[in-house]
Tab-separated table of all heavy atoms in Angstrom:
chain	number	residue	atom	x	y	z
A	205	CYS	N	0.827	-1.190	0.001
A	205	CYS	CA	-0.048	-0.005	0.014
A	205	CYS	C	0.854	1.269	0.015
A	205	CYS	O	0.353	2.384	-0.101
A	205	CYS	CB	-0.909	0.028	1.220
A	205	CYS	SG	-2.038	-1.412	1.270
A	206	GLY	N	2.107	1.151	0.276
A	206	GLY	CA	2.955	2.331	0.227
A	206	GLY	C	3.004	2.875	1.645
A	206	GLY	O	2.335	2.411	2.553
A	207	CYS	N	3.875	3.848	1.865
A	207	CYS	CA	3.958	4.455	3.153
A	207	CYS	C	2.755	5.229	3.531
A	207	CYS	O	2.372	6.076	2.817
A	207	CYS	CB	5.280	5.382	3.168
A	207	CYS	SG	5.710	6.008	4.738
A	208	LYS	N	2.309	4.944	4.742
A	208	LYS	CA	1.115	5.628	5.238
A	208	LYS	C	1.526	6.766	6.185
A	208	LYS	O	2.617	6.874	6.645
A	208	LYS	CB	0.274	4.609	5.971
A	208	LYS	CG	-0.134	3.421	5.083
A	208	LYS	CD	-0.926	3.831	3.822
A	208	LYS	CE	-1.314	2.609	2.983
A	208	LYS	NZ	-2.056	2.997	1.804
A	209	PRO	N	0.499	7.532	6.458
A	209	PRO	CA	0.799	8.693	7.415
A	209	PRO	C	1.227	8.158	8.753
A	209	PRO	O	0.809	7.126	9.218
A	209	PRO	CB	-0.562	9.366	7.575
A	209	PRO	CG	-1.357	9.058	6.274
A	209	PRO	CD	-0.857	7.712	5.968
A	210	LYS	N	2.114	8.875	9.439
A	210	LYS	CA	2.623	8.392	10.680
A	210	LYS	C	1.556	8.577	11.750
A	210	LYS	O	0.708	9.486	11.649
A	210	LYS	CB	3.830	9.244	11.122
A	210	LYS	CG	5.019	9.106	10.189
A	210	LYS	CD	6.140	10.065	10.566
A	210	LYS	CE	7.321	10.074	9.496
A	210	LYS	NZ	8.340	10.991	9.845
A	211	GLY	N	1.526	7.677	12.738
A	211	GLY	CA	0.521	7.799	13.725
A	211	GLY	C	-0.112	6.417	14.035
A	211	GLY	O	0.245	5.422	13.520
A	212	ASP	N	-1.137	6.439	14.957
A	212	ASP	CA	-1.788	5.235	15.348
A	212	ASP	C	-2.989	5.021	14.387
A	212	ASP	O	-3.793	5.794	14.156
A	212	ASP	CB	-2.307	5.422	16.730
A	212	ASP	CG	-2.945	4.099	17.282
A	212	ASP	OD1	-2.822	3.140	16.627
A	212	ASP	OD2	-3.552	4.186	18.330
A	213	ALA	N	-3.066	3.742	13.910
A	213	ALA	CA	-4.161	3.377	12.937
A	213	ALA	C	-5.347	2.796	13.662
A	213	ALA	O	-6.281	2.275	13.043
A	213	ALA	CB	-3.633	2.399	11.877
A	214	SER	N	-5.403	2.745	14.979
A	214	SER	CA	-6.514	2.267	15.731
A	214	SER	C	-7.779	3.012	15.550
A	214	SER	O	-7.681	4.210	15.334
A	214	SER	CB	-6.180	2.079	17.210
A	214	SER	OG	-5.903	3.286	17.766
A	215	ASP	N	-8.931	2.404	15.699
A	215	ASP	CA	-10.250	3.100	15.489
A	215	ASP	C	-10.750	3.313	16.934
A	215	ASP	O	-11.168	2.409	17.704
A	215	ASP	CB	-11.142	2.133	14.756
A	215	ASP	CG	-12.468	2.871	14.487
A	215	ASP	OD1	-12.678	3.904	14.985
A	215	ASP	OD2	-13.273	2.282	13.713
A	216	SER	N	-10.718	4.623	17.378
A	216	SER	CA	-11.196	4.960	18.666
A	216	SER	C	-12.723	4.767	18.867
A	216	SER	O	-13.166	4.810	20.033
A	216	SER	CB	-10.817	6.409	19.006
A	216	SER	OG	-11.363	7.337	18.038
A	217	SER	N	-13.415	4.567	17.782
A	217	SER	CA	-14.856	4.473	17.911
A	217	SER	C	-15.286	2.991	18.324
A	217	SER	O	-16.410	2.844	18.582
A	217	SER	CB	-15.531	4.822	16.549
A	217	SER	OG	-15.238	3.830	15.586
A	218	GLU	N	-14.282	2.077	18.276
A	218	GLU	CA	-14.615	0.733	18.580
A	218	GLU	C	-14.981	0.603	20.128
A	218	GLU	O	-14.364	1.355	20.933
A	218	GLU	CB	-13.486	-0.229	18.314
A	218	GLU	CG	-13.282	-0.460	16.846
A	218	GLU	CD	-12.268	-1.448	16.561
A	218	GLU	OE1	-11.294	-1.600	17.438
A	218	GLU	OE2	-12.256	-2.109	15.527
A	219	THR	N	-15.797	-0.289	20.497
A	219	THR	CA	-16.183	-0.552	21.872
A	219	THR	C	-15.947	-1.995	22.231
A	219	THR	O	-15.830	-2.834	21.361
A	219	THR	CB	-17.712	-0.206	22.174
A	219	THR	OG1	-18.453	-1.076	21.301
A	219	THR	CG2	-17.928	1.242	21.854
A	220	GLY	N	-15.917	-2.283	23.540
A	220	GLY	CA	-15.697	-3.670	23.960
A	220	GLY	C	-14.341	-4.149	23.817
A	220	GLY	O	-14.071	-5.387	23.735
A	221	GLU	N	-13.278	-3.294	23.724
A	221	GLU	CA	-11.914	-3.787	23.565
A	221	GLU	C	-11.394	-4.196	24.877
A	221	GLU	O	-11.691	-3.680	25.938
A	221	GLU	CB	-11.084	-2.545	23.030
A	221	GLU	CG	-11.407	-2.121	21.619
A	221	GLU	CD	-10.498	-1.014	21.053
A	221	GLU	OE1	-9.502	-0.788	21.747
A	221	GLU	OE2	-10.848	-0.416	20.026
A	222	LEU	N	-10.550	-5.216	24.826
A	222	LEU	CA	-9.914	-5.788	25.997
A	222	LEU	C	-8.678	-4.945	26.267
A	222	LEU	O	-8.043	-4.357	25.469
A	222	LEU	CB	-9.429	-7.185	25.708
A	222	LEU	CG	-10.485	-8.194	25.290
A	222	LEU	CD1	-9.905	-9.523	24.824
A	222	LEU	CD2	-11.425	-8.489	26.467
A	223	LYS	N	-8.375	-4.873	27.629
A	223	LYS	CA	-7.237	-4.092	28.132
A	223	LYS	C	-5.962	-4.869	27.931
A	223	LYS	O	-4.905	-4.205	27.822
A	223	LYS	CB	-7.443	-3.653	29.570
A	223	LYS	CG	-8.681	-2.753	29.809
A	223	LYS	CD	-8.736	-2.289	31.237
A	223	LYS	CE	-9.833	-1.309	31.491
A	223	LYS	NZ	-9.993	-0.928	32.916
A	224	ALA	N	-5.969	-6.144	27.866
A	224	ALA	CA	-4.773	-6.976	27.852
A	224	ALA	C	-4.870	-7.860	26.603
A	224	ALA	O	-5.921	-8.036	25.985
A	224	ALA	CB	-4.623	-7.873	29.088
A	225	PRO	N	-3.682	-8.383	26.175
A	225	PRO	CA	-3.778	-9.333	25.036
A	225	PRO	C	-4.783	-10.534	25.329
A	225	PRO	O	-4.844	-10.916	26.476
A	225	PRO	CB	-2.315	-9.960	24.994
A	225	PRO	CG	-1.538	-8.705	25.518
A	225	PRO	CD	-2.324	-8.116	26.574
A	226	ALA	N	-5.502	-10.960	24.299
A	226	ALA	CA	-6.655	-11.730	24.455
A	226	ALA	C	-6.209	-13.288	24.812
A	226	ALA	O	-5.166	-13.676	24.434
A	226	ALA	CB	-7.440	-11.881	23.255
A	227	THR	N	-7.064	-13.911	25.592
A	227	THR	CA	-6.945	-15.373	25.744
A	227	THR	C	-7.556	-16.075	24.560
A	227	THR	O	-8.248	-15.428	23.751
A	227	THR	CB	-7.646	-15.745	27.061
A	227	THR	OG1	-9.013	-15.586	26.893
A	227	THR	CG2	-7.084	-15.064	28.295
A	228	VAL	N	-7.414	-17.351	24.466
A	228	VAL	CA	-8.030	-18.070	23.352
A	228	VAL	C	-9.563	-17.994	23.418
A	228	VAL	O	-10.226	-17.748	22.462
A	228	VAL	CB	-7.597	-19.557	23.401
A	228	VAL	CG1	-8.337	-20.395	22.447
A	228	VAL	CG2	-6.149	-19.722	23.166
A	229	GLU	N	-10.084	-18.083	24.607
A	229	GLU	CA	-11.520	-17.991	24.844
A	229	GLU	C	-12.053	-16.607	24.368
A	229	GLU	O	-13.077	-16.488	23.761
A	229	GLU	CB	-11.931	-18.400	26.254
A	229	GLU	CG	-11.620	-19.773	26.734
A	229	GLU	CD	-10.164	-20.021	27.012
A	229	GLU	OE1	-9.330	-19.056	27.067
A	229	GLU	OE2	-9.830	-21.204	26.977
A	230	GLN	N	-11.319	-15.596	24.828
A	230	GLN	CA	-11.799	-14.254	24.453
A	230	GLN	C	-11.770	-13.964	22.964
A	230	GLN	O	-12.663	-13.360	22.387
A	230	GLN	CB	-10.956	-13.193	25.206
A	230	GLN	CG	-11.173	-13.194	26.703
A	230	GLN	CD	-10.122	-12.315	27.413
A	230	GLN	OE1	-8.951	-12.180	26.948
A	230	GLN	NE2	-10.467	-11.775	28.589
A	231	ALA	N	-10.700	-14.529	22.258
A	231	ALA	CA	-10.568	-14.350	20.894
A	231	ALA	C	-11.637	-15.094	20.155
A	231	ALA	O	-12.148	-14.643	19.168
A	231	ALA	CB	-9.105	-14.794	20.452
A	232	ALA	N	-11.971	-16.314	20.558
A	232	ALA	CA	-13.003	-17.137	19.954
A	232	ALA	C	-14.335	-16.455	20.029
A	232	ALA	O	-15.193	-16.708	19.159
A	232	ALA	CB	-13.061	-18.501	20.611
A	233	HIS	N	-14.582	-15.677	21.097
A	233	HIS	CA	-15.812	-15.006	21.174
A	233	HIS	C	-16.103	-13.898	20.108
A	233	HIS	O	-17.191	-13.663	19.763
A	233	HIS	CB	-15.962	-14.336	22.593
A	233	HIS	CG	-17.229	-13.705	22.832
A	233	HIS	ND1	-18.413	-14.330	23.071
A	233	HIS	CD2	-17.563	-12.334	22.933
A	233	HIS	CE1	-19.411	-13.482	23.229
A	233	HIS	NE2	-18.915	-12.253	23.225
A	234	VAL	N	-14.963	-13.452	19.658
A	234	VAL	CA	-15.007	-12.347	18.578
A	234	VAL	C	-14.980	-12.984	17.198
A	234	VAL	O	-15.800	-12.611	16.342
A	234	VAL	CB	-13.829	-11.434	18.718
A	234	VAL	CG1	-13.851	-10.349	17.584
A	234	VAL	CG2	-13.905	-10.646	20.065
A	235	LEU	N	-14.062	-13.981	16.929
A	235	LEU	CA	-14.014	-14.644	15.668
A	235	LEU	C	-13.360	-16.020	15.831
A	235	LEU	O	-12.202	-16.174	16.428
A	235	LEU	CB	-13.224	-13.802	14.732
A	235	LEU	CG	-12.985	-14.364	13.325
A	235	LEU	CD1	-14.303	-14.560	12.552
A	235	LEU	CD2	-11.942	-13.578	12.436
A	236	ASP	N	-13.980	-17.071	15.306
A	236	ASP	CA	-13.484	-18.364	15.325
A	236	ASP	C	-13.384	-18.792	13.808
A	236	ASP	O	-14.425	-19.069	13.176
A	236	ASP	CB	-14.287	-19.341	16.125
A	236	ASP	CG	-13.686	-20.758	16.153
A	236	ASP	OD1	-12.728	-21.021	15.452
A	236	ASP	OD2	-14.295	-21.539	16.923
A	237	LEU	N	-12.109	-18.819	13.283
A	237	LEU	CA	-12.082	-19.136	11.767
A	237	LEU	C	-12.291	-20.610	11.474
A	237	LEU	O	-12.362	-20.998	10.368
A	237	LEU	CB	-10.648	-18.710	11.341
A	237	LEU	CG	-10.464	-17.182	11.279
A	237	LEU	CD1	-9.061	-16.870	10.883
A	237	LEU	CD2	-11.452	-16.627	10.233
A	238	THR	N	-12.500	-21.408	12.453
A	238	THR	CA	-12.819	-22.812	12.197
A	238	THR	C	-14.333	-22.902	11.702
A	238	THR	O	-14.721	-24.004	11.161
A	238	THR	CB	-12.781	-23.708	13.430
A	238	THR	OG1	-13.540	-23.348	14.492
A	238	THR	CG2	-11.222	-23.758	13.896
A	239	THR	N	-15.121	-21.859	12.001
A	239	THR	CA	-16.477	-21.812	11.527
A	239	THR	C	-16.718	-20.809	10.324
A	239	THR	O	-17.871	-20.633	10.050
A	239	THR	CB	-17.384	-21.440	12.688
A	239	THR	OG1	-17.102	-20.123	13.183
A	239	THR	CG2	-17.176	-22.421	13.856
A	240	PHE	N	-15.648	-20.255	9.890
A	240	PHE	CA	-15.809	-19.242	8.816
A	240	PHE	C	-16.244	-19.892	7.517
A	240	PHE	O	-15.789	-20.968	7.064
A	240	PHE	CB	-14.520	-18.523	8.586
A	240	PHE	CG	-14.544	-17.222	7.845
A	240	PHE	CD1	-14.719	-16.034	8.524
A	240	PHE	CD2	-14.538	-17.210	6.501
A	240	PHE	CE1	-14.779	-14.848	7.851
A	240	PHE	CE2	-14.582	-15.960	5.765
A	240	PHE	CZ	-14.769	-14.809	6.408
A	241	PRO	N	-17.297	-19.339	6.846
A	241	PRO	CA	-17.841	-19.980	5.571
A	241	PRO	C	-16.781	-19.924	4.460
A	241	PRO	O	-16.019	-18.914	4.352
A	241	PRO	CB	-19.110	-19.157	5.321
A	241	PRO	CG	-18.819	-17.799	5.877
A	241	PRO	CD	-18.051	-18.092	7.126
A	242	LEU	N	-16.842	-20.929	3.599
A	242	LEU	CA	-15.961	-21.006	2.366
A	242	LEU	C	-16.792	-20.625	1.226
A	242	LEU	O	-17.988	-20.861	1.128
A	242	LEU	CB	-15.351	-22.368	2.265
A	242	LEU	CG	-14.615	-22.959	3.492
A	242	LEU	CD1	-14.016	-24.279	3.119
A	242	LEU	CD2	-13.512	-21.924	3.974
């Protein structure tokens, strides 16, 4: 994509974000790719 503007790319409008790196269970609650449609 080429060099992007410097700064944080996070979306501050998101809600429900975890404060710490996710556990497996927490991540599965958001997305489990074993069930993703093909």
Side-chain angles (χ1 to χ4, degrees):
C205 304
C207 186
K208 303 298 180 182
K210 300 174 185 178
D212 185 9
S214 61
D215 185 354
S216 59
S217 66
E218 289 184 334
T219 59
E221 295 184 10
L222 301 169
K223 294 183 179 180
T227 64
V228 171
E229 293 76 13
Q230 290 170 332
H233 183 71
V234 177
L235 177 67
D236 184 351
L237 289 174
T238 63
T239 64
F240 198 90
L242 306 182

